[in-house]
Amino acid sequence: MCRLMLYLGPEARLSSLIVEPRHSLIRQSVHSEEREEPLNGDGFGIGWYASELSLEPAVFRSITPAWNNRNLQNLARVVTSDCVLAHVRAATQSSGVNEANCHPFRWRQYLCMHNGDVGDFRLVRRKLLASVCDEAFGNVYGSTDSEHFFALFIDSLLGLDERDPALRMAQALARAIDRVLALVGSAGEGGDSYMNIAISDGEHAVVSRFTDAADGVPESLYYFTGQLYPDIGPKAKRKGTQAVTVSSERLTADAGWAEVPPGQIIILRRDRAPQFVDARSGEVVAPPARAARHTAA
Amino acid sequence: MCRLMLYLGPEARLSSLIVEPRHSLIRQSVHSEEREEPLNGDGFGIGWYASELSLEPAVFRSITPAWNNRNLQNLARVVTSDCVLAHVRAATQSSGVNEANCHPFRWRQYLCMHNGDVGDFRLVRRKLLASVCDEAFGNVYGSTDSEHFFALFIDSLLGLDERDPALRMAQALARAIDRVLALVGSAGEGGDSYMNIAISDGEHAVVSRFTDAADGVPESLYYFTGQLYPDIGPKAKRKGTQAVTVSSERLTADAGWAEVPPGQIIILRRDRAPQFVDARSGEVVAPPARAARHTAA
Amino acid sequence: MCRLMLYLGPEARLSSLIVEPRHSLIRQSVHSEEREEPLNGDGFGIGWYASELSLEPAVFRSITPAWNNRNLQNLARVVTSDCVLAHVRAATQSSGVNEANCHPFRWRQYLCMHNGDVGDFRLVRRKLLASVCDEAFGNVYGSTDSEHFFALFIDSLLGLDERDPALRMAQALARAIDRVLALVGSAGEGGDSYMNIAISDGEHAVVSRFTDAADGVPESLYYFTGQLYPDIGPKAKRKGTQAVTVSSERLTADAGWAEVPPGQIIILRRDRAPQFVDARSGEVVAPPARAARHTAA
Amino acid sequence: MCRLMLYLGPEARLSSLIVEPRHSLIRQSVHSEEREEPLNGDGFGIGWYASELSLEPAVFRSITPAWNNRNLQNLARVVTSDCVLAHVRAATQSSGVNEANCHPFRWRQYLCMHNGDVGDFRLVRRKLLASVCDEAFGNVYGSTDSEHFFALFIDSLLGLDERDPALRMAQALARAIDRVLALVGSAGEGGDSYMNIAISDGEHAVVSRFTDAADGVPESLYYFTGQLYPDIGPKAKRKGTQAVTVSSERLTADAGWAEVPPGQIIILRRDRAPQFVDARSGEVVAPPARAARHTAA
């Protein structure tokens, strides 16, 4: 089922985001608290943007667990970025542990990662691939449901005219979720889908929290508006924007963490507070009352 | 372009086959002699049968080079088998170095490995996948042309009624080669295909040597009838059959090595001399004069 | 702290020993039950003997976790042996996760693995290395306390005249434990040592259960006399000997599992019931009453 | 024997240094031109400084070859640094391929890498370790001659009073070379040592080119004063210093490459031209005539 974390804000050091918090993602790789099975040891991945150097984000992925990976600890100490995605994986039996199956996945400037499952994926895979354009098809290198879903997202994005890039991503994500559910409905055997998906282009990000399971309870997902980490000096001030962190589990004991409402997509922009849209229709919804309270704090 | 080796015969020790020969496959991983580029360092794989224990063969694959892999050296020393496939890889840029892309690939009791290229594979991949049955489609986990070709083989095999299992494999291989060329012809841009493919079910094996390049020169492929290795005692006598080794390059200085004729598939059986069929029609052809001389020696 | 398992008996399939038991070592890599921290995901190793082919045992080690390693699953299915050692690792911070630090360690025909810690190892390492002969020193490739302890064992073994090979190993193990405690006493700062050590030469094995902690409670260790696994046919009957399995945790719900008494070393031979010696003096002690009852059952 | 590269200068992108040059280090991992054996495929490592974030440099090491490592390509694209060390390895049989044996090695703010061999290292190792202080001893995690030599350097450095940090490093390097030769002389059997060693603290660097072989021909080593790479904008101008690159082989066809004279150590500082000292006495020598001409160009 995996755990994931996304950060958009002023430049921050990777270690402040993924190593140092009390319940950091690396900690969650060993001891996640909101999954039945606490272990996410089947590899990990980090993606980050260094926009002044390259529009294409960097990705560092490994099939060894995150908790004792020295390269990761080294990178985390010296890499800074204003947009970071990180993921620790719990592999399902059907898709092997190899680098092609580690999140985040990349296409052009976009990164995508997933916490969840596409229902009956083995039955759905073929129709899914047949339904997307060559560009999206050609970006599939491995065998995970997550990477195949990303192809649906790419295909949906390419078909949209929306000019606002954040809204376009959110609409494409909603459309892709809608399409995958339709595919599971027609080719699957009634399996539930869990679709906590995080996607960014380096300047904006969208993260869904969704399931079609009968009980309506998706995987956990939280967000925090504000700065979680120590100031790293002049660099951090380059962009006078707010920081937002979205994570499968609360990284700290701060009261400011709020749940992303079930069935919604949170939209992050550098210059304004998070916005919410419906995870299937893509239409804007009012911000959650509880979350509003926290962010106002 | 890779290098490969297949052995069918009395039980032999892995190290006798892949480590000890003067120009062993492990040596070829560093210094192949019949490729322009001598290096095959992008991982390796070995498959072998232990029929008394499991119909399904064992596969050991790694993304590190073969030449300094301690696990491989250990296994080679203690594993014996009467059917072995081994492969060292030179990855092309488009498909990454990960375990899912290491040969040999497996389906049921079959193992498959490839030395060569499917022409214009990126353009062909989609149509290829669309042309095979669900069973064959579901066996594709990575992004190599080789594994996709194996899906064509599986699909072809499932459609054949031939009762002789060795002939059935040869016909399926010929049909798959024919199909892949048709796919390249319709979806590709005139790229050449190099199809040295080795497939076994543990009791029989087929290996093609084929290209449709204008010069008609396929990748090198040799075979040797007889015992290349020291006797390993009573176990080796369990099956009173002849030994045949097929390899991209001659493993030893023995005069007995003969070329597999271009455009043909060599068929190996435990109880009789190698047989040859045409690599596209699958029809039996007379054994090559030169090879006959050598094997008679 | 790690988990370990050793088997000596008629030829058995690896999977019967390390995969299939209800609470197999692979299961313990994710969910050990008798450690505070249930996870042993920092690599693993298997050593096994194929005496008819090589006096030197084979070792297969990897830095990825055991639970999702496909190579391990493949090997376990087709490899049989009459003497197997297997280990899953939980690395301490000071020694990195790399293959040189994975157990079992090898010297000549001997394999060694460890569940525990040498107290204050960083302070002790130097004196320990200075105290052993060149042969033992030259066998240290990594930085674990376990491999360094093995050097003490090698040095102790080389200094003993005892002719019975099993007793010689037990005496060397006892002497090495005694020596390491003396080294910790003189160079350390009072740290406790936990010394569950398993060593085999392929025909005999010794496993200690020892600590000098004030509470006198060593790491858990159990043994089971008899056959835990399905018969694998004629091969299994080659040696008409009893089977004994020693393991950090009980692999099955069988009532026959007995604790190795704290402070003792269990000695396994192919042709007689387990014997016990004191873990520091190396002197034979009476078999534990409770264990005797179980093995009689 | 390995290949290595060191850069000290204005901030540059990693890819400009190790990927893009016509004969880059990554190219040398496959096709080095000044070694008998062109292959350096047994892992690699990069170390770099991000001084504003951490005095301790970052190290990224891997046991897979450099030429097809996607993580390396990603990092190279987005990481910039004003001091970079990079190494591709050709392992000798005696020391295994594992991360602890990949260069560069680190101690405090120092990084060290080696192209060459300590003569008769197996015979020398013990005495070498016995001759260094605890601090230096405690920094040895693997089994390479290179990492053990670094312990000699550390020990030598700690014993020097020299205030100029660059000169202190050069003197410690010369002293360590002298000490290792004495150790080989007393414990070895007349084996030659090849000691091309690069060490940096992030602000200065020293690189030796030395052998005691009878023919007096050390491994190749070149340096280039000036900018080899495209300008990366404002960041690059932060430090108004010259750039110097030192490399086992010339990275480009530029006429400006000069050989480091045999038997000397080149000293790099941010604010002045390279300086040379004798590799055994540590005494300053006149700059090489030929090199002077080139750097004047």
Side-chain angles (χ1 to χ4, degrees), chain B:
Chain B
M1 282 299 216
C2 316
R3 299 281 88 173
L4 56 78
M5 197 223 66
L6 181 149
Y7 168 79
L8 187 78
E11 197 149 359
R13 194 196 293 236
L14 273 190
S15 57
S16 304
L17 300 171
I18 65 169
V19 180
E20 290 154 18
R22 188 189 58 87
H23 189 54
S24 71
L25 196 73
I26 286 185
R27 176 79 186 154
Q28 291 175 44
S29 71
V30 190
H31 284 296
S32 61
E33 293 172 353
E34 306 195 28
R35 288 184 59 204
E36 281 177 46
E37 164 56 60
L39 184 59
N40 298 281
D42 297 317
F44 69 89
I46 312 174
W48 71 96
Y49 291 82
S51 313
E52 74 277 21
L53 290 167
S54 169
L55 285 182
E56 206 182 317
V59 177
F60 174 68
R61 306 193 289 188
S62 170
I63 58 168
T64 64
W67 61 75
N68 256 335
N69 190 292
R70 299 240 164 142
N71 286 326
L72 175 58
Q73 285 159 11
N74 269 287
L75 282 178
R77 195 160 35 78
V78 301
V79 168
T80 63
S81 173
D82 57 10
C83 183
V84 176
L85 292 85
H87 186 273
V88 291
R89 185 169 180 233
T92 50
Q93 272 309 101
S94 57
S95 66
V97 178
N98 67 57
E99 260 181 53
N101 287 347
C102 289
H103 310 220
F105 306 102
R106 179 171 60 190
W107 173 71
R108 296 188 187 167
Q109 77 267 41
Y110 299 93
L111 291 174
C112 173
M113 53 190 183
H114 179 200
N115 155 219
D117 282 306
V118 171
D120 303 319
F121 175 61
R122 285 180 62 85
L123 302 174
V124 170
R125 183 182 182 193
R126 233 185 147 163
K127 281 203 174 167
L128 188 160
L129 282 178
S131 76
V132 302
C133 64
D134 289 352
E135 175 78 19
F137 178 91
N139 201 59
V140 178
Y141 295 96
S143 57
T144 60
D145 52 356
S146 311
E147 193 190 22
H148 284 73
F149 176 82
F150 188 33
L152 272 185
F153 169 84
I154 294 167
D155 188 66
S156 300
L157 189 83
L158 291 172
L160 283 169
D161 290 327
E162 172 61 42
R163 292 217 171 167
D164 177 291
L167 212 52
R168 188 172 169 226
M169 285 162 61
Q171 288 173 4
L173 177 51
R175 187 172 290 189
I177 289 173
D178 202 59
R179 287 170 68 178
V180 86
L181 295 177
L183 286 161
V184 175
S186 71
E189 293 172 340
D192 298 331
S193 294
Y194 289 86
M195 306 302 297
N196 286 16
I197 302 274
I199 295 177
S200 179
D201 64 0
E203 289 301 309
H204 322 82
V206 294
V207 192
S208 61
R209 183 175 181 222
F210 180 83
T211 184
D212 63 348
D215 67 4
V217 183
E219 290 281 298
S220 58
L221 193 69
Y222 298 89
Y223 70 102
F224 181 90
T225 308
Q227 195 172 313
L228 277 173
Y229 47 84
D231 197 319
I232 56 163
K235 267 189 158 181
K237 295 186 180 87
R238 202 173 43 108
K239 294 185 176 169
T241 66
Q242 64 183 318
V244 187
T245 307
V246 180
S247 173
S248 297
E249 307 192 2
R250 284 166 287 207
L251 303 178
T252 64
D254 264 286
W257 287 95
E259 282 197 68
V260 173
Q264 298 194 11
I265 292 168
I266 183 171
I267 305 181
L268 310 184
R269 288 183 170 92
R270 295 199 177 277
D271 55 359
R272 64 162 105 155
Q275 189 184 1
F276 294 83
V277 300
D278 184 86
R280 290 195 67 178
S281 72
E283 282 174 25
V284 176
V285 295
R290 186 168 158 273
R293 178 167 49 85
H294 280 299
T295 52

Side-chain angles (χ1 to χ4, degrees), chain D residues 203-243:
Chain D
E203 288 302 308
H204 322 80
V206 294
V207 192
S208 62
R209 184 177 180 220
F210 180 83
T211 185
D212 63 349
D215 68 3
V217 183
E219 291 281 297
S220 58
L221 192 69
Y222 299 88
Y223 69 101
F224 182 91
T225 307
Q227 194 171 316
L228 277 172
Y229 47 85
D231 197 319
I232 57 164
K235 268 190 158 181
K237 296 187 180 85
R238 202 171 44 106
K239 295 185 174 167
T241 67
Q242 64 183 318

Side-chain angles (χ1 to χ4, degrees), chain C residues 65-215:
Chain C
W67 60 76
N68 256 334
N69 190 292
R70 298 238 167 144
N71 286 326
L72 175 58
Q73 285 158 13
N74 270 285
L75 282 177
R77 195 158 37 76
V78 302
V79 168
T80 62
S81 174
D82 57 10
C83 183
V84 176
L85 292 85
H87 186 272
V88 291
R89 187 169 179 232
T92 50
Q93 272 310 101
S94 56
S95 66
V97 178
N98 67 58
E99 261 182 54
N101 287 347
C102 289
H103 311 219
F105 306 103
R106 178 171 62 191
W107 174 71
R108 296 187 186 168
Q109 76 268 40
Y110 299 93
L111 290 175
C112 173
M113 53 190 184
H114 179 200
N115 155 219
D117 283 306
V118 171
D120 303 320
F121 175 62
R122 284 179 63 85
L123 302 174
V124 169
R125 184 182 180 192
R126 245 195 132 155
K127 281 203 174 167
L128 187 160
L129 282 178
S131 75
V132 301
C133 63
D134 289 351
E135 174 78 19
F137 178 89
N139 199 59
V140 177
Y141 295 95
S143 57
T144 59
D145 52 355
S146 310
E147 193 191 21
H148 284 72
F149 175 83
F150 189 34
L152 272 186
F153 169 84
I154 294 168
D155 188 67
S156 299
L157 189 82
L158 290 171
L160 283 170
D161 289 326
E162 171 61 43
R163 291 215 171 168
D164 177 293
L167 212 52
R168 190 172 168 226
M169 285 163 60
Q171 287 172 3
L173 177 52
R175 188 172 291 187
I177 289 174
D178 202 58
R179 286 169 68 178
V180 86
L181 296 177
L183 286 160
V184 176
S186 70
E189 294 172 339
D192 298 331
S193 294
Y194 288 86
M195 304 304 295
N196 286 17
I197 303 274
I199 294 178
S200 179
D201 63 1
E203 289 302 309
H204 323 81
V206 293
V207 193
S208 62
R209 184 176 182 221
F210 180 82
T211 184
D212 64 347
D215 66 5

Side-chain angles (χ1 to χ4, degrees), chain C residues 160-285:
Chain C
L160 283 170
D161 289 326
E162 171 61 43
R163 291 215 171 168
D164 177 293
L167 212 52
R168 190 172 168 226
M169 285 163 60
Q171 287 172 3
L173 177 52
R175 188 172 291 187
I177 289 174
D178 202 58
R179 286 169 68 178
V180 86
L181 296 177
L183 286 160
V184 176
S186 70
E189 294 172 339
D192 298 331
S193 294
Y194 288 86
M195 304 304 295
N196 286 17
I197 303 274
I199 294 178
S200 179
D201 63 1
E203 289 302 309
H204 323 81
V206 293
V207 193
S208 62
R209 184 176 182 221
F210 180 82
T211 184
D212 64 347
D215 66 5
V217 183
E219 290 282 297
S220 57
L221 191 70
Y222 299 87
Y223 69 104
F224 181 91
T225 306
Q227 195 173 313
L228 275 172
Y229 48 84
D231 198 318
I232 56 162
K235 268 189 157 180
K237 296 186 179 86
R238 202 171 43 105
K239 294 185 176 168
T241 65
Q242 64 183 318
V244 186
T245 307
V246 179
S247 173
S248 297
E249 306 193 4
R250 284 165 287 206
L251 303 179
T252 64
D254 264 284
W257 288 96
E259 282 196 68
V260 173
Q264 298 195 10
I265 293 169
I266 182 171
I267 304 181
L268 311 185
R269 287 183 171 92
R270 292 199 179 280
D271 55 358
R272 64 162 105 156
Q275 189 183 1
F276 294 82
V277 301
D278 184 87
R280 292 195 68 176
S281 70
E283 282 173 27
V284 176
V285 294

